[in-house]
Amino acid sequence: MAEQMKKYETPLLNELEKGPWPSFVKEIKAAAEWNQMANDLLGLLERSYREKIGHWKHGGIVGVMGYGGGVIGRYTNLPEEFPNVSHFHTMRINQPAGWFYTAEALRTLADIWDRHGSGLTNFHGSTGDIIFLGTRTEELEPTFAELTQAGFDLGGSGSDIRTPSCCCGMARCEWACYDTMKLTYFLTQHYQDEIHRPAFPYKFKFKCSGCPNDCVAAIARADFSIIGTWRDEIQIDQEMVREYAKNGVDINKEIVMMCPGRCIEWDGEELKIDNSSCRHCMHCINVMPKALAPGKDRGACILLGAKAPIVEGAILSSVIVPFVKLDTEESFNDIVELIDAILEPWIEEGKNRERVGEFIQRVGLGNFLEAIGLDPQPEMIRHPRTNPYVFYENYLEEE
Amino acid sequence: MAEQMKKYETPLLNELEKGPWPSFVKEIKAAAEWNQMANDLLGLLERSYREKIGHWKHGGIVGVMGYGGGVIGRYTNLPEEFPNVSHFHTMRINQPAGWFYTAEALRTLADIWDRHGSGLTNFHGSTGDIIFLGTRTEELEPTFAELTQAGFDLGGSGSDIRTPSCCCGMARCEWACYDTMKLTYFLTQHYQDEIHRPAFPYKFKFKCSGCPNDCVAAIARADFSIIGTWRDEIQIDQEMVREYAKNGVDINKEIVMMCPGRCIEWDGEELKIDNSSCRHCMHCINVMPKALAPGKDRGACILLGAKAPIVEGAILSSVIVPFVKLDTEESFNDIVELIDAILEPWIEEGKNRERVGEFIQRVGLGNFLEAIGLDPQPEMIRHPRTNPYVFYENYLEEE
Amino acid sequence: MAETVQKRITDIGPPHYEKFLPPIIKENYGKWKYHEIPRPGVIVHTSETGAKLYTVRAASPRLLSTTKIRKFAELAEKYSDGYLRFTSRHNVEFLLSDPAKIDPLIQELEAIGHPVGGTGNAISSMVHTQGWIHCHSSATDASGVVKSVMDELIDYFKTMKLPAKIRLALACCLNMCGAVHCSDIAILGIHTRPPKVNHELLPKVCEIPNVVASCPTAAIRPSTFQGKPSVEVDEEKCMYCANCYTVCPAMPLNNAETDGISIWVGGKVSNARSEPMFSKLAVPYLPNNPPRWPEVVQTVKKIVEVWAANAHKHERVGEWIERIGWPKFFKLTGIEFTKQHIDDFKHAGLTYKTSVHLTY
Amino acid sequence: MAETVQKRITDIGPPHYEKFLPPIIKENYGKWKYHEIPRPGVIVHTSETGAKLYTVRAASPRLLSTTKIRKFAELAEKYSDGYLRFTSRHNVEFLLSDPAKIDPLIQELEAIGHPVGGTGNAISSMVHTQGWIHCHSSATDASGVVKSVMDELIDYFKTMKLPAKIRLALACCLNMCGAVHCSDIAILGIHTRPPKVNHELLPKVCEIPNVVASCPTAAIRPSTFQGKPSVEVDEEKCMYCANCYTVCPAMPLNNAETDGISIWVGGKVSNARSEPMFSKLAVPYLPNNPPRWPEVVQTVKKIVEVWAANAHKHERVGEWIERIGWPKFFKLTGIEFTKQHIDDFKHAGLTYKTSVHLTY
Ligand code: SRM
Ligand code: SRM
Ligand code: SRM
Ligand code: SRM
Ligand code: SF4
Ligand code: SF4
Ligand code: SF4
Ligand code: SF4
Ligand code: SF4
Ligand code: SF4
Ligand code: SF4
Ligand code: SF4
């Protein structure tokens, strides 16, 4: 692709090469030195900066053979002036669980993209995919072929299961209550068809966090949120606690007073936790990682329904399974069973562009639980109803 | 009224004469000894207990000349069997502010009611009125005449201003931040016409509590809730604080840890309060009334909109004026102005049977504030909006 | 009654309260400094001036005969210079300036069946409503249930051994005249069947558009019955609020077999510590079982005792539950958690548990 | 590319992560005991086995050229045996087993313009989205705003002197791909004018029923324009969510003059101490002012600094505001409180202040 490059003046963008934070403009220019698409992107972006408006059109449906997802079609509305971004589709490549790479793997990806695209990427997209940022329709299939040869595959887009993601978990964190990367890989492989071939009312996302710190924001960003937790006593090393106290942690102010379960006592010698009132918030552990640790009976809490505000307002996932062990193959299969049970009524009765969280709010959590065969549990709610408008359906059968 | 009494067997009600709590059945029987209405009520009630169902019909409109409120019409659906309760209307008599009486006043009321009604009453109804429980239509006017002669008047019912009520306040409480009884009397007198002649979309209630303990449940039970509070420092008698500590109050556990403002410190010697974070909840004062007291710059917070659940769900009053002084005639008149400003849009645009709280939720607090000419203040809300659906109306004018 | 016809007096409002205030209150109005509760039912208010007012509080069934009212008047004259008041929870309070008269007054009150107490960390009288005594709308009786519950809990009225105040209230239908929606424990009369439309009566006494509009769940549709205009109810949509009955007598919901009582917990009104809270559903349905409603009495008692045994000092029922979590509440009380506890009304989604703050 | 056409491979999913884990992680997988943060950007994880893993975290613009990717690969080979990862906030992390290599790596990273930090009580990279670089829907750019804000706040990335973590995020339209709805400080691109219907195009490319259904406020009605079917928008009802545009290209909202940015505060995701919270509106509108968006930068900086100066240790922005109350937040930041802050959407009533828990 080394033909003659058009040279764009970019006074506004040049401003963004200055300053200590790494500059995306420098990145675009680096690619623009040799890549026509990147070069036209630079020109188009300067234009947007000048006019304070984007220059992209709605993307039509483009993709690779046999897949419905994984590619976001994009075309500029100024194709004459910027012919090399007349097509500028992005490809979503399913990242390895936990976003771990080797230098070699990164180079392989870079080489493929240099052959077929803009030379620009996102590491990563906010769902978790590797984003190959911008190429032409005819390049999609060859890129895909090389990716799969190299052992990579596309992620989700459209109304399908989206690329699952997870925190680094047991690979690099002492607090992981289950193997987030293993479960994420398992689910990703199990749902390959559903990830690649949209067949749902709308998107459906998985995120796996190893503990209640929720480092992948599962509760806010995934329809199906798996968050690690424990059931038994917090592990305490009293010696270390005293150590922290000596080194200036004000245990009463910073921990006792801030514990939401109000279940910690500190007499200057010993830290007592009434575990029966512990809310598993992680705070005390976070502040004294060398002294405290989650218990030994570990597993996860499963929550359902998170989404962004469009269109009925944002929703956070809510508890659907208060605690589940995740240490066996069966336990992974049980998760799949649960997911399938959840997908079924949603796929059948969900409206077009209705996320599962919106669906549950429409039909009511109680009815939804009946539909998927789970018993109502007080853990699923913040508090029981305050309004007296209770349905006593039983009689409908009776009579 | 001393003709021959019908004798009713009341095996079920007799059960409720037993036990330590004062028995309403004994009260009914006391009246039934000489009063035909009370006697038939006894029989009718036994019948309800046997059949597990009430025997009253919807009340038609009955009342005294020129008033639309103050009387609740009531008729039994078993007039043949219980002719003396074929009519059984209640009269609501506006109680003296704070529910204070003299023996003489009580006797006057009792005498009037013996001449015209069932000899049964409620001290008091749950809005606050004295309830004369049950009489015939033709007795209403004469009863009313005697009441007014004695200096009493009817309270509200129907879609009008309801009988205001208040806590005993300055008459018998050290925490009263304004004169609840004086304001209640003032408002009651000012709104005589609106109390007696329903002309609103629905009922409108006032309640005045002298401090945030809210001993008349104003925030839950009055459309217009006036709750005393203060703006300056809590008054502290450190000597007394130590006294309480000595006498067994665990100040850290019972007060410091329970302070919602987290603004109290106790070193065993001195109690420090960061008044700038005090939420004016009263807790510390409640626990140590001899040591602490509300500040000296006292007034009230005004809240709007409380109601029971029918039909969109219960509503608690919410802040409409964060703080107002109530120590002058003008300040009382300002309250009246505020009330009138609130009533106006509600009377004009409120739907039939729509309480002011429901009205505000329908039109939106922001629009309502504009309508009554108050500036939006952050004190009026729990938190700003979480949804991004903001209206930028300004341009509607601009363009 | 000759004189009463002479001239007609209206809009005079209630008598001015000052007429009814004892001298000690007039003198110390706004000057009270602090109070003490030396024993259950007795509150001593001390003024800046040093003056002391002794209040003796006695239980009342709220429904009083004129006979009893005269009795109270007599006691007031004998012990409190003729001055007395009633409270916002319908107890009667005698306002004494002479402490020597406290004991004899209490003896006499107990003797005539009006126990003294209800102060401080106690169970005070239950706010309640009319029930079968006067209201057409009631799904249960009020006074009888209150009497049965308070007979069982009397000990908590006469002592102050509870962790905090606990406010009980009863309303005999969803109109909630007892304002039970913010009570520590609320007893609520409920219908559990849709209205039975009286097609004969309806067109005569009701505005069909109003009836249709009255239904929050849009369960009521206009229809015709034997040629005459009427309404029909989509029973699947009805949750028995009785709002239609309130606006139209031809839609009664009262039903001897299926009316009953639901129990609500954890509400509060005061701003002390936590903000005011609504009561939440604890038990969806208990049968109407007069004259003593044993199921209701035992359920309320159980909740009171579990709370009393587990709450921290000063923790109201709702505050206690917030600390231990609702799952623990159901476990400790043995109350079954059902689909009916899960909100399905307007803001239901906001009641789902959107965190992993759970106790195991 | 001869080989690629041979056989078509599909549905293989991503490579197995184990291929990419350094030996030290394989050996200590699930055995980590605790971590320390000896200096900003360096995290040391110690295993039960005593093994230590040294993570060096560097800033990334997220938008990376293949050139930079090769550079990272080269650094990884030089310092961390070829192993590296990226974080959920798009920083790059080098996974070292030899502590001696930490300093030289940091020097080289700083040298190529990738500052090291973002750990502990710091400002880490901003989660953000495509903006003018790739999305048709954007109301502002993403990368440029992020660059401008982070240039200003860089000191908080490179140190750990803040009271707690503070998470910043940006989304360029209400779709909120950056999931900014739970961020300590969120920057949100907004349209402030209704869509301009392209009546020519609409009937050709859109299903009118879908367009009508897409509007949450029912502002869109079917209509006809010069005989052809189209839609019309009741501008008074429109709050510019752009959902109609998402389903129909003929309803663009983008507007160079009136598009802009709103600022949101107090959200969080973690369960630490408080439950997860949504972000709340702080500033309804700031202009799009490229290339450096000074109004946005200064507003964000002001909020960060007021929080840093006033919060208790460990208090996230939302927790701090809950303690001091919203009135204080507006007072301290000098941000004006307006009608637009008051919720008027579905559950608005529940955001009104129903207590007297106020500070004065
Ligand atoms: C690429 C990415 C932003 C980024 O720069 O990282 C992205 C880009 C788009 N998102 Fe997104 N979303 C991306 C993550 C998200 C997230 C965050 C997440 O997944 O954790 C959310 C919020 C969480 C959620 O799912 O609710 C998100 C919520 C949306 C929504 C609103 C969905 C809703 O139910 O509220 C839309 C609108 C739609 O679906 O039509 C949307 C739509 C879009 C579209 C396809 C625009 C459109 O309307 O068709 C954007 C294409 C931009 C482009 O041209 O490249 N995107 N989108 C992210 C995907 C990359 C990846 O695969 O890793
Ligand atoms: C007598 C009293 C109950 C009692 O035993 O004390 C009462 C009795 C009735 N109330 Fe009430 N309400 C009484 C205080 C209340 C309260 C409590 C309060 O005022 O503090 C409330 C809850 C607070 C509120 O206003 O929301 C209350 C909320 C209702 C409602 C529901 C209103 C709503 O907007 O949700 C209705 C239904 C209606 O208005 O049609 C209602 C309707 C009724 C009716 C008139 C029945 C009807 O549907 O027409 C009852 C007449 C009963 C009878 O035959 O005697 N009553 N009503 C109370 C008035 C006595 C007095 O004047 O002192
Ligand atoms: C007499 C009465 C006001 C009146 O004008 O009638 C009254 C009087 C006092 N209240 Fe009250 N309250 C009265 C109804 C209420 C109510 C309303 C209700 O129950 O419907 C409340 C709100 C209840 C709620 O939150 O649901 C109420 C919440 C309080 C509180 C806050 C308790 C808490 O911790 O939440 C206090 C403070 C305390 O007791 O520590 C208080 C304290 C007091 C004090 C100590 C105030 C004082 O210094 O005199 C008075 C005597 C205390 C006592 O009874 O133990 N009063 N008090 C009412 C007596 C009702 C009764 O017969 O039992
Ligand atoms: C690397 C990463 C996970 C990953 O697989 O990528 C990660 C790693 C760690 N997180 Fe996290 N968190 C990571 C994103 C998150 C997120 C998600 C987000 O920001 O979008 C959250 C939720 C944020 C929120 O609540 O809005 C998150 C909330 C926490 C918390 C809770 C903080 C709090 O008090 O609320 C802790 C505990 C702590 O830091 O004390 C924590 C602690 C940690 C520890 C100390 C866990 C450990 O023992 O290794 C890790 C290094 C700490 C550090 O960065 O200071 N991590 N952490 C993510 C790094 C992002 C970055 O580049 O900065
Ligand atoms: S979510 Fe928990 S387990 Fe996962 S990285 Fe964060 S702190 Fe570690
Ligand atoms: S994890 Fe949270 S709730 Fe549990 S003890 Fe620690 S601080 Fe308290
Ligand atoms: S509300 Fe306050 S002032 Fe009034 S009686 Fe109760 S405690 Fe006293
Ligand atoms: S009144 Fe309440 S908030 Fe204020 S200091 Fe006392 S306990 Fe704390
Ligand atoms: S609660 Fe219902 S039944 Fe009871 S008095 Fe009020 S309206 Fe009548
Ligand atoms: S009872 Fe309530 S829900 Fe049922 S039909 Fe009547 S108004 Fe509608
Ligand atoms: S937030 Fe909006 S504009 Fe930005 S990438 Fe997502 S859809 Fe596009
Ligand atoms: S922008 Fe949103 S609110 Fe406005 S018309 Fe389109 S869909 Fe409706």
Side-chain angles (χ1 to χ4, degrees), chain A residues 389 391, chain B residues 310-311, chain C residues 174 191 193-195 211-220 232-235 237-245 247 251 253:
Chain A
Y389 302 143
F391 287 92
Chain B
I310 298 299
V311 66
Chain C
L174 266 52
H191 305 293
R193 297 294 183 274
V211 183
V212 171
S214 72
C215 181
T217 64
I220 304 179
E232 76 185 324
V233 176
D234 176 348
E235 304 210 334
K237 280 196 190 162
C238 173
M239 38 60 174
Y240 344 104
C241 71
N243 199 43
C244 54
Y245 182 51
V247 304
M251 306 200 60
L253 284 87

Side-chain angles (χ1 to χ4, degrees), chain A residues 253 256-259 262 265 309-314 386-389, chain B residues 253 256-259 262 265 309-314 386-389:
Chain A
K253 208 153 175 304
V256 175
M257 288 283 284
M258 285 186 149
C259 164
R262 309 221 160 206
E265 281 181 22
I310 301 296
V311 66
E312 289 295 318
T386 58
N387 63 76
Y389 302 143
Chain B
K253 209 157 178 299
V256 175
M257 288 284 284
M258 285 185 151
C259 164
R262 307 221 164 207
E265 282 181 21
I310 298 299
V311 66
E312 290 295 319
T386 58
N387 63 76
Y389 302 143

Side-chain angles (χ1 to χ4, degrees), chain C residues 53-357:
Chain C
L53 171 68
Y54 305 88
T55 299
V56 174
R57 177 182 298 172
S60 161
R62 192 180 80 125
L63 192 166
L64 298 173
S65 63
T66 47
T67 321
K68 179 62 57 67
I69 289 165
R70 290 197 182 78
K71 182 68 188 177
F72 285 162
E74 176 195 323
L75 290 176
E77 271 162 348
K78 194 160 158 196
Y79 298 103
S80 54
D81 317 312
Y83 296 99
L84 75 171
R85 74 180 290 267
F86 296 84
T87 73
S88 65
R89 296 194 81 85
H90 316 302
N91 288 308
V92 58
E93 292 184 331
F94 296 87
L95 306 163
L96 289 63
S97 36
D98 176 1
K101 292 184 173 164
I102 296 175
D103 287 332
L105 170 58
I106 292 178
Q107 277 156 31
E108 219 177 316
L109 281 165
E110 300 273 353
I112 61 165
H114 287 268
V116 168
T119 55
N121 294 341
I123 294 181
S124 186
S125 298
M126 283 173 69
V127 167
H128 62 281
T129 48
Q130 295 296 329
W132 293 335
I133 282 184
H134 203 270
C135 193
H136 66 291
S137 183
S138 54
T140 186
D141 188 35
S143 310
V145 180
V146 168
K147 164 75 173 150
S148 304
V149 169
M150 291 308 290
D151 276 343
E152 187 71 32
L153 299 177
I154 186 72
D155 185 36
Y156 296 114
F157 177 85
K158 300 181 72 168
T159 60
M160 304 195 294
K161 59 187 178 189
L162 291 169
K165 280 187 162 43
I166 174 167
R167 300 309 206 188
L168 276 53
L170 175 143
C172 25
C173 87
L174 266 52
N175 285 337
M176 289 198 189
C177 298
V180 305
H181 56 295
C182 296
S183 304
D184 292 277
I185 302 179
I187 300 173
L188 178 63
I190 50 167
H191 305 293
T192 64
R193 297 294 183 274
K196 298 249 166 295
V197 183
N198 178 335
H199 295 291
E200 302 304 329
L201 185 63
L202 192 135
K204 301 197 196 78
V205 298
C206 312
E207 300 291 337
I208 286 172
N210 290 355
V211 183
V212 171
S214 72
C215 181
T217 64
I220 304 179
R221 290 189 238 79
S223 72
T224 58
F225 180 78
Q226 300 174 346
K228 289 200 222 67
S230 184
V231 302
E232 76 185 324
V233 176
D234 176 348
E235 304 210 334
E236 300 249 339
K237 280 196 190 162
C238 173
M239 38 60 174
Y240 344 104
C241 71
N243 199 43
C244 54
Y245 182 51
T246 298
V247 304
C248 174
M251 306 200 60
L253 284 87
N254 302 358
N255 179 321
E257 280 63 45
T258 57
D259 287 349
I261 280 173
S262 57
I263 308 288
W264 302 72
V265 300
K268 77 189 276 279
V269 165
S270 82
N271 285 276
R273 300 168 306 283
S274 56
E275 297 181 293
M277 307 183 220
F278 286 125
S279 315
K280 288 104 187 167
L281 180 63
V283 181
Y285 181 81
L286 292 170
N288 260 335
N289 197 351
R292 285 215 162 256
W293 285 268
E295 300 84 355
V296 174
V297 170
Q298 289 316 313
T299 304
V300 171
K301 187 180 185 189
K302 173 81 181 187
I303 294 168
V304 170
E305 289 178 344
V306 170
W307 165 72
N310 292 279
H312 289 173
K313 196 164 180 197
H314 307 301
E315 251 178 359
R316 297 280 300 268
V317 171
E319 295 169 319
W320 164 64
I321 297 174
E322 284 211 336
R323 180 172 54 81
I324 66 167
W326 283 95
K328 274 250 168 59
F329 168 81
F330 285 99
K331 207 173 295 164
L332 289 170
T333 56
I335 294 170
E336 183 198 11
F337 183 81
T338 69
K339 179 184 173 187
Q340 291 165 327
H341 290 91
I342 301 176
D343 194 356
D344 53 7
F345 196 51
K346 269 167 53 195
H347 307 300
L350 303 182
T351 68
Y352 303 166
K353 181 71 171 180
T354 56
S355 83
V356 299
H357 276 217

Side-chain angles (χ1 to χ4, degrees), chain A residues 201-370:
Chain A
Y202 209 176
K203 60 190 76 168
F204 191 90
K205 297 178 177 178
F206 296 124
K207 282 184 169 59
C208 302
S209 284
C211 83
N213 284 330
D214 196 2
C215 293
V216 288
I219 202 166
R221 296 167 65 166
D223 301 86
F224 193 86
S225 321
I226 306 170
I227 300 178
T229 188
W230 66 94
R231 284 192 290 208
D232 56 342
E233 284 71 46
I234 289 176
Q235 305 180 57
I236 310 183
D237 176 338
Q238 297 290 354
E239 194 42 60
M240 274 297 164
V241 175
R242 286 186 284 272
E243 194 66 18
Y244 275 103
K246 230 192 276 97
N247 302 337
V249 176
D250 180 339
I251 293 185
N252 271 317
K253 208 153 175 304
E254 295 180 44
I255 296 174
V256 175
M257 288 283 284
M258 285 186 149
C259 164
R262 309 221 160 206
C263 55
I264 307 183
E265 281 181 22
W266 168 243
D267 57 13
E269 276 306 305
E270 205 193 349
L271 191 82
K272 282 206 202 63
I273 298 179
D274 167 8
N275 284 275
S276 73
S277 301
C278 168
R279 302 232 180 132
H280 304 85
C281 85
M282 288 297 295
H283 177 67
C284 57
I285 300 169
N286 290 343
V287 177
M288 304 193 293
K290 290 167 110 168
L292 304 180
K296 297 192 161 107
D297 182 10
R298 300 178 175 192
C301 175
I302 297 177
L303 305 90
L304 191 61
K307 66 176 301 301
I310 301 296
V311 66
E312 289 295 318
I315 300 176
L316 292 172
S317 284
S318 62
V319 175
I320 190 97
V321 178
F323 186 88
V324 59
K325 299 291 285 183
L326 285 174
D327 46 6
T328 60
E329 275 304 320
E330 305 91 276
S331 64
F332 280 22
N333 292 322
D334 294 345
I335 297 294
V336 167
E337 261 182 41
L338 174 65
I339 292 166
D340 293 344
I342 287 165
L343 291 176
E344 194 184 326
W346 175 57
I347 291 173
E348 277 177 16
E349 294 155 45
K351 297 186 196 157
N352 175 39
R353 306 190 78 242
E354 180 176 53
R355 297 283 288 267
V356 72
E358 294 167 310
F359 175 72
I360 292 169
Q361 298 207 351
R362 178 165 59 86
V363 302
L365 177 57
N367 296 330
F368 179 76
L369 291 172
E370 273 179 359

